[in-house]
Amino acid sequence: MRIIIMGPQGAGKGTQAAKLEEETGATHIETGDLVREEINQGTELGEKIQEYNERGELVPDEIIIDMTKPYLDENDSWILDGFPRNKEQAQALDEMLDEIGEDLDRVVVLEAPDDVLVERLSGRRQSEATGEVYHIEHDPPPEEGSEEDPGPFVQREDDTEEAIRNRLETYHEQTEPLKDYYEEKGILVTIDATQDIDEVTENVLQAVGEKDS
Ligand code: AMP
């Protein structure tokens, strides 16, 4: 199974990809995580890409393609999250698939209006200790000082209002046109990501043929 999960930041790609991974056993490959790991490790490459990440800009294509390729080579079944982000990357992915004689099965797009996304992203907080992600209003963490208190929390460097707007603009300009690219290949499915998480999951599983519609 080779699936791309696409959509703007805050649409819930990570959450849905994790559920798909659980249901199908396909490996979740998240390029944003690869980028953050590289930065946290303080490597030379990490230093080079840190500014792009902080500003909410795309890392140059050659770099992200080189970072992603080994994961695609290593796994037969995958759910690709955060890649491709533009036409060049989509073409690079097609070339990699051609080399091994395989095709993409589905491109699942999660969609939500920008104002919903900005609200979701700016309220996002991550527990430093557990990595669990919460939302200050919609999914608040256990009470401060309680036994389950997972604090302290951090906000992603690119979850500032300015970087969020930047990331959404880049999405609309560069990534969204890929919908036509995959529509023409007949493998695109679009899902309303403003529904409840479980409903979105139902739709995603149906889209990849893991559940009857
Ligand atoms: P994300 O967690 O998917 O929002 O990714 C965080 C950041 O990593 C992005 O704002 C980019 O700087 C970088 N990044 C992740 N995936 C890609 C990609 N496919 N192309 C270029 N930059 C990427």
Side-chain angles (χ1 to χ4, degrees), residues 3-9 11-13 16 20 80 84 106-112 171-172 175-183 187-195 200 203-204 207-208:
I3 293 168
I4 294 175
I5 189 146
M6 209 177 109
Q9 293 72 17
K13 296 189 297 293
Q16 296 302 332
L20 258 182
L80 199 44
R106 275 277 178 282
V107 176
V108 178
V109 187
L110 304 182
E111 296 204 303
Y171 177 79
H172 292 307
T175 311
E176 208 163 17
L178 292 181
K179 286 198 298 190
D180 290 340
Y181 185 78
Y182 291 118
E183 177 80 75
I187 52 173
L188 188 88
V189 182
T190 305
I191 291 170
D192 173 6
T194 63
Q195 305 174 93
V200 178
N203 291 171
V204 172
V208 302

Side-chain angles (χ1 to χ4, degrees), residues 193-208:
T194 63
Q195 305 174 93
D196 282 353
I197 292 183
D198 291 344
E199 281 174 72
V200 178
T201 305
E202 275 298 301
N203 291 171
V204 172
L205 291 174
Q206 284 167 8
V208 302

Side-chain angles (χ1 to χ4, degrees), residues 18-183:
K19 299 219 168 179
L20 258 182
E21 181 174 45
E22 221 176 270
E23 287 286 326
T24 66
T27 305
H28 178 195
I29 303 172
E30 186 184 352
T31 51
D33 255 3
L34 301 182
V35 164
R36 284 183 288 276
E37 252 169 51
E38 199 71 45
I39 295 172
N40 289 340
Q41 282 169 12
T43 62
E44 208 176 305
L45 178 61
E47 280 178 26
K48 205 163 151 185
I49 60 183
Q50 183 161 20
E51 280 194 20
Y52 295 100
N53 177 64
E54 268 174 31
R55 289 194 299 256
E57 289 171 13
L58 294 188
V59 167
D61 291 334
E62 336 64 89
I63 296 181
I64 203 81
I65 292 165
D66 281 354
M67 285 175 74
T68 311
K69 192 167 188 307
Y71 293 89
L72 299 176
D73 289 342
E74 248 166 50
N75 296 285
D76 284 336
S77 266
W78 38 252
I79 304 144
L80 199 44
D81 167 2
F83 185 98
R85 289 269 241 273
N86 59 27
K87 196 79 180 281
E88 290 68 31
Q89 294 181 13
Q91 282 163 348
L93 178 61
D94 280 352
E95 279 164 29
M96 290 183 229
L97 288 165
D98 276 351
E99 272 170 31
I100 55 168
E102 296 290 349
D103 287 318
L104 277 172
D105 295 300
R106 275 277 178 282
V107 176
V108 178
V109 187
L110 304 182
E111 296 204 303
D114 280 7
D115 51 355
V116 172
L117 300 168
V118 172
E119 202 268 338
R120 282 186 187 175
L121 291 171
S122 45
R124 190 156 78 168
R125 299 289 181 278
Q126 186 170 29
S127 158
E128 263 179 342
T130 66
E132 191 80 21
V133 179
Y134 300 91
H135 188 283
I136 46 178
E137 267 174 42
H138 310 309
D139 182 19
E143 202 179 329
E144 199 181 339
S146 70
E147 225 169 273
E148 304 86 40
D149 179 7
F153 300 96
V154 282
Q155 197 174 10
R156 263 174 59 165
E157 280 177 336
D158 57 349
D159 274 350
T160 59
E161 173 101 23
E162 196 189 343
I164 291 170
R165 295 268 171 212
N166 227 340
R167 287 153 70 201
L168 290 175
E169 203 178 304
T170 307
Y171 177 79
H172 292 307
E173 276 174 13
Q174 300 192 40
T175 311
E176 208 163 17
L178 292 181
K179 286 198 298 190
D180 290 340
Y181 185 78
Y182 291 118
E183 177 80 75

